[in-house]
Amino acid sequence: MPVTRIVLVAGARPNFMKIAPLMRVLSADPAFEPILVHTGQHYDRNMSGQFFSDLRIPEPRYHLEAGGGSHAVQTAEIMKRIEPVLLKELPKAILVVGDVNSTVAGALVATKLGIEVIHAEAGLRSFDRMMPEEINRIVTDSISDLLLVTEESGRENLLREGVSENRIHVVGNLMIDSLRTHLDQALKSDPGQRLGVREKKFGLVTLHRPANVDDPKQLVEISSALEAISLDLDLYWPVHPRTRTRLIENGITLSERIHLIDPLGYLDFLWAQANAFVILTDSGGVQEESTVLRTPCLTLRDNTERPVTITSGSNRLAGTSKDSILAAWKELLAHPPAGTIPPLWDGKAGERCLEVLRKHFAAPLSD
Ligand code: UD1
Ligand code: UDP
């Protein structure tokens, strides 16, 4: 049987933990030749390289070094740089993950070259088109040939949008495969002292959504909620580069019980999530990981594209005003959410993806 060549695209921090299990299963199967392309959307060591060593991802065959810029510039740069790679390698398919600009850029170029598009983490919808990721999700799904889904809401959204059922596969959550593979190692490493975390009871913060951090008034509003919560417990905040720039630009300083630190490597951050009393975040992936770790999570947004983390997990929407965040914090203290783990978030999503791909390439869909 001929070997099926698949180009996998990774570019930004949340891509790496989804790509790692896919690279592992595809590399171990002689029926496939996976070719990893790093777009370079994220490039700092603590936003990219660290994850390759923590997650033991092989070196990418291509590094496009596309870097940052406006949405148009960044997306176009990735498209320009990935096209020659696809023309040279002529893969049977491109596999893109998540909802970042690298995802949609890879999918658009591939589909116009007649290369099949496979989207992992398809179907998630926040129904908020002001989020750049929502546009990326809708566009990528609309041109995908195979849609690999993490939770039931994703399947329902795709069916409602007219995607035929035989293209949709609920495979579970690749990000949780990585979590389950690395959790023991992360817990044993016990990096608390190195990270300067002295208290047993602490909160963990991450923020990077443009709607929360690019508008100075909104960033001040959230910061003042964090100030109030830090009266109850110390907060550790690994600051995303986008957010660090905004804090500096706007001269926002925080009390000494809010510890601003650099973005953490994967294992250190897993440790922090597992040991935190509460997580305050606007991250998509952190909502999912905290659900599996059963650490109470307050999502500082008005919506989520990952509803199962609320209906089944320990995640709660806290909104983005000081009052709504503090109300959610009080509610969490009074009634800590326990939560259960969503179906198929069991560490075997990579294997289920492989099974879907094997069947698909043995007997491709014709409609
Ligand atoms: C991107 C994704 C977002 C994802 C987030 C994860 C899009 C549209 N957004 O947002 O969905 O949740 O990554 O972290 O794809 N920067 C650095 N060093 C880096 C990377 C970025 O300094 O290694 C700075 C640059 O100034 C850059 C800015 O951060 O311009 C924003 O980076 P970008 O990738 O455009 O968007 P994110 O906010 O990181
Ligand atoms: N993460 C990390 N270090 C940090 C913050 C996040 O390793 O300092 C990991 C986190 O465990 C999860 C992923 O990054 O696996 C989530 O990425 P991010 O929040 O940047 O993006 P999103 O999921 O919102 O797209």
Side-chain angles (χ1 to χ4, degrees):
M1 213 177 93
V3 173
T4 302
R5 185 176 284 185
I6 301 183
V7 163
L8 289 89
V9 180
R13 178 168 68 186
N15 294 160
F16 306 129
M17 40 305 277
K18 299 165 197 169
I19 283 290
L22 289 170
M23 282 303 288
R24 194 159 45 244
V25 293
L26 288 169
S27 305
D29 187 330
F32 291 98
E33 182 195 357
I35 297 174
L36 182 57
V37 175
H38 190 328
T39 66
Q41 177 173 345
H42 285 176
Y43 42 85
D44 290 342
R45 167 128 190 106
N46 59 18
M47 295 296 289
S48 171
Q50 183 68 44
F51 295 91
F52 280 76
S53 44
D54 283 357
L55 292 154
R56 279 178 251 120
I57 306 172
E59 265 302 297
R61 195 174 301 177
Y62 295 90
H63 208 307
L64 306 182
E65 296 179 6
S70 68
H71 284 279
V73 167
Q74 186 177 63
T75 310
E77 207 52 58
I78 298 168
M79 290 175 73
K80 271 162 58 185
R81 293 176 187 219
I82 205 168
E83 186 175 50
V85 173
L86 297 179
L87 286 170
K88 176 165 173 240
E89 298 290 354
L90 294 174
K92 191 93 183 123
I94 191 169
L95 198 164
V96 295
V97 298
D99 55 16
V100 301
N101 285 346
S102 300
T103 312
V104 69
L108 269 170
V109 175
T111 196
K112 291 194 176 183
L113 292 174
I115 296 166
E116 281 197 68
V117 178
I118 304 164
H119 185 204
E121 201 184 272
L124 296 182
R125 297 288 181 270
S126 66
F127 303 101
D128 173 3
R129 291 200 180 200
M130 294 305 288
M131 279 183 87
E133 294 82 3
E134 184 74 352
I135 308 299
N136 292 345
R137 294 180 198 117
I138 293 168
V139 173
T140 304
D141 286 343
S142 73
I143 54 176
S144 288
D145 299 281
L146 261 189
L147 300 104
L148 308 175
V149 174
T150 53
E151 62 168 85
E152 182 56 23
S153 76
R155 200 179 74 85
E156 288 163 12
N157 292 332
L158 293 170
L159 288 174
R160 203 176 40 251
E161 290 171 17
V163 177
S164 53
E165 194 154 16
N166 56 354
R167 296 190 179 279
I168 306 171
H169 300 271
V170 182
V171 291
N173 194 322
L174 290 164
M175 197 169 222
I176 302 307
D177 284 18
S178 282
L179 182 153
R180 291 191 185 281
T181 304
H182 293 92
L183 184 60
D184 281 351
Q185 188 191 349
L187 294 178
K188 273 191 208 127
S189 71
D190 198 13
Q193 228 177 0
R194 176 165 47 83
L195 303 179
V197 179
R198 281 173 294 275
E199 307 74 16
K200 214 168 160 43
K201 185 173 175 183
F202 67 91
L204 179 66
V205 178
T206 82
L207 280 178
H208 66 274
R209 299 258 89 89
N212 279 342
V213 305
D214 285 359
D215 172 5
K217 261 177 45 200
Q218 189 51 50
L219 186 53
V220 167
E221 180 81 11
I222 292 180
S223 300
S224 61
L226 297 178
E227 290 281 3
I229 293 171
S230 76
L231 299 177
D232 295 333
L233 81 179
D234 277 48
L235 298 178
Y236 289 83
W237 182 355
V239 187
H240 187 284
R242 171 189 289 277
T243 311
R244 185 169 289 279
T245 307
R246 300 294 175 252
L247 288 171
I248 293 168
E249 273 173 2
N250 296 297
I252 299 173
T253 53
L254 296 152
S255 79
E256 59 183 21
R257 294 199 64 180
I258 304 181
H259 307 268
L260 302 186
I261 53 180
D262 284 337
L264 296 179
Y266 182 69
L267 298 173
D268 288 350
F269 192 74
L270 264 193
W271 176 89
Q273 286 192 86
N275 284 285
F277 176 79
V278 63
I279 299 174
L280 300 122
T281 190
D282 58 11
S283 160
V286 173
Q287 294 175 59
E288 297 183 339
E289 291 171 340
S290 60
T291 287
V292 171
L293 296 166
R294 300 177 200 245
T295 301
C297 178
L298 293 182
T299 292
L300 309 187
R301 291 173 46 187
D302 294 320
N303 53 55
T304 179
E305 60 288 335
R306 293 158 159 93
V308 76
T309 61
I310 293 177
T311 52
S312 154
S314 51
N315 182 27
R316 298 291 177 264
L317 285 181
T320 58
S321 73
K322 180 178 181 186
D323 287 351
S324 67
I325 296 167
L326 292 183
W329 169 235
K330 293 213 169 80
E331 173 63 20
L332 183 147
L333 289 174
H335 307 286
T340 56
I341 296 174
L344 304 185
W345 291 20
D346 57 0
K348 300 198 171 85
E351 277 143 46
R352 281 190 285 269
C353 289
L354 180 67
E355 211 39 51
V356 170
L357 296 182
R358 273 204 199 140
K359 285 198 184 128
H360 176 74
F361 290 109
L365 299 168
S366 50
D367 67 324

